[in-house]
Amino acid sequence: MTRDEARALDAHDPLAPLRDRFALPAEVIYLDGNSLGPLPRATGPAMADMVARQWGDRLIRSWNEGWIDAPARLGGKIAPLIGAAADEVIVGDSTSANLFKALVAALRIQSERHPERRVVLSEAGNFPTDLHIAEGAVACVPGARLRVVPRDGIAAAIDDDVAVILLTHVHYKTSERFDMAAITAAAHRAGALMLWDLSHSVGAVAVDLAGAHADLAVGCTYKYLNGGPGAPAFLYVAKRWQDRLASPLSGWMGHAEPFAFADAYAPAPGMKRWLAGTPPMLAMAALEAGLDLWMAVDRDAVWAKSAALWRIMAAAGDAAGLECVTPADPAARGSHISFRHPHAHAIAQALIERGVIGDFRDPDILRLGLTPLYLSHDEVWRAGDILRDIITSGSWRDPRFATRLAVT
Ligand SMILES: Cc1ncc(COP(=O)(O)O)c(C=O)c1O
């Protein structure tokens, strides 16, 4: 694609006006929204209102003026993005904590239904926290154990021992996407529950949890949902499981009557039982501003533009002779594109120096997020051109690009 062709796509881009809703620095082409979404312009005023009015003036009265309902209200705003009903999603804790709650709950219900099923099945090379949390979760349930197999061995590993399958829908490194409906159906045929990590899917690709009949899901909100660094995560529990599963983090905010101050725990009905402690309202205010931006967006236009942006960057990588590890089929991938190169870290640093912010994933992956809400086709074209120049000129070889920082 030529630059003029990219510009012509921008001229007819229905999402182009959304760019102004983000406070992006003019000199930067931001290809890391798959890791930390940029700042929506509405977030600052929303947080100022939260701090000065809601906290400063209204003080504790704010709990009854919208705060206490925030976890369910924000969950309801995420629901349409993942094919869930509003009362199947709640916002709170981190993705890691939600993974723990969901895994332990699923293992426990399975030990009542099918005592022989004790295995959590997951993918080797899954995002580390998924495997680390799964290790911790199986240690909490007598007899449970973790089985980790390569991606292409998942289907064959679904046997009579499997209680729960935990997979990340879009892979954080390669952007490969699992067929959610097919794997969920295979899990159910075998009597297992299916737990999806949607961290790299929500806001990146169309997700239909209801259509796939998924049981459980978790995900981040600080990537494509632009909720801010460390924004609270979400948890989805299909309605049919809501009164049967119990959170192992039985905190007071998940109690049926938190303000009865009872000694004994009684779980709230519906999704509230998954709350543990007091919701972090400053972070919730930032997240809600990010979510509200999504409410009026034509999601089909987002998925279509994501595919177009991907084609532009894939062509640039090809021209630079880079190995693309992301599948070309849009249905088999997420919204980011990844290239393998033994010096991917230095290339990522060289890109950053030229104003193109992407990232590096150990040991050899250059990862570029292609986020349609605020990127133009022309920006992605220019970023691809800079990438091609860095590779063909060998400018990444400069020793100053070799230093690794703590966060890559
Ligand atoms: C697939 C996946 N799961 C979980 C996380 C992060 O979890 P947490 O928000 O608990 O740090 C990430 C972060 O990039 C991720 O990619």
Side-chain angles (χ1 to χ4, degrees):
M1 185 181 297
T2 64
R3 186 165 183 197
D4 282 346
E5 285 165 343
R7 285 174 162 165
L9 290 175
D10 285 332
H12 299 102
D13 176 6
L15 303 174
L18 288 169
R19 165 66 176 233
D20 275 349
R21 312 240 333 240
F22 290 90
L24 278 160
E27 68 285 3
V28 159
I29 299 178
Y30 192 60
L31 304 187
D32 221 353
N34 55 310
S35 193
L36 173 64
L39 172 67
R41 286 193 200 281
T43 305
M47 292 207 72
D49 178 71
M50 167 58 72
V51 171
R53 186 183 62 83
Q54 298 182 45
W55 180 11
D57 291 343
R58 299 305 297 160
L59 291 157
I60 202 162
R61 292 170 288 188
S62 281
W63 282 112
N64 287 315
E65 295 170 0
W67 286 4
I68 201 72
D69 301 321
R73 184 175 69 247
L74 273 58
K77 293 182 181 189
I78 292 172
L81 289 162
I82 56 175
D87 59 357
E88 291 179 310
V89 187
I90 196 125
V91 167
D93 300 320
S94 61
T95 306
S96 303
N98 286 331
L99 277 168
F100 178 81
K101 291 185 282 189
L103 275 174
V104 171
L107 282 166
R108 286 184 177 157
I109 190 97
Q110 285 289 60
S111 64
E112 285 169 24
R113 297 166 74 224
H114 311 285
E116 71 290 357
R117 293 184 178 277
R118 294 294 168 82
V119 167
V120 174
L121 173 65
S122 196
E123 179 195 0
N126 197 350
F127 189 78
T129 210
D130 296 65
L131 298 180
H132 301 340
I133 290 287
E135 264 187 46
V138 297
C140 294
V141 180
R145 60 189 191 281
L146 175 62
R147 182 186 299 161
V148 177
V149 302
R151 191 175 183 89
D152 57 9
I154 297 281
I158 305 175
D159 62 18
D160 293 347
D161 296 339
V162 176
V164 194
I165 304 177
L166 162 63
L167 292 174
T168 296
H169 182 223
V170 171
H171 197 275
Y172 77 103
K173 256 192 211 178
T174 64
S175 195
E176 288 166 283
R177 190 194 323 178
F178 280 115
D179 181 337
M180 177 179 280
I183 294 184
T184 305
H188 290 170
R189 273 197 303 278
L193 296 188
M194 189 68 225
L195 165 52
W196 290 104
D197 184 337
L198 302 178
S199 292
H200 283 276
S201 310
V202 61
V205 295
V207 177
D208 186 4
L209 289 171
H213 217 57
D215 302 295
L216 298 153
V218 298
C220 294
T221 63
Y222 46 75
K223 300 176 187 293
Y224 296 88
L225 303 185
N226 311 304
F234 66 87
L235 170 70
Y236 158 89
V237 180
K239 216 167 279 175
R240 63 186 176 280
W241 287 115
Q242 285 183 4
D243 291 331
R244 300 171 67 190
L245 296 180
S247 172
L249 295 183
S250 44
W252 77 302
M253 280 287 151
H255 192 279
E257 287 184 277
F259 291 90
F261 298 104
D263 283 354
Y265 177 73
M271 289 303 293
K272 286 218 171 116
R273 65 177 54 187
W274 299 95
L275 298 176
T278 306
M281 288 313 304
L282 303 186
M284 290 283 196
L287 171 55
E288 192 157 18
L291 294 178
D292 283 343
L293 205 153
W294 270 98
M295 294 302 104
V297 168
D298 173 356
R299 293 195 293 274
D300 287 335
V302 174
W303 319 141
K305 184 174 170 187
S306 161
L309 298 179
W310 196 93
R311 282 195 298 275
I312 296 171
M313 188 52 84
D318 207 32
L322 283 171
E323 177 196 355
C324 181
V325 298
T326 304
D329 174 6
R333 61 171 155 81
S335 189
H336 65 278
I337 186 166
S338 298
F339 299 107
R340 179 174 287 128
H341 190 287
H343 298 284
H345 178 266
I347 295 166
Q349 292 305 307
L351 277 170
I352 291 171
E353 195 180 83
R354 302 267 304 262
V356 178
I357 301 183
D359 64 26
F360 159 75
R361 284 293 171 265
D362 206 57
D364 55 5
I365 296 293
L366 172 69
R367 195 172 67 151
L368 304 173
L370 305 172
T371 45
L373 289 193
Y374 43 85
L375 286 174
S376 67
H377 301 83
D378 183 50
E379 277 180 301
V380 173
W381 192 94
R382 280 187 286 133
D385 198 47
I386 292 169
L387 173 62
R388 189 193 44 71
D389 182 60
I390 286 170
I391 301 289
T392 52
S393 68
S395 64
W396 58 265
R397 293 179 194 277
D398 193 291
R400 72 183 183 285
F401 297 134
T403 312
R404 283 212 196 175
L405 302 172
V407 176
T408 60

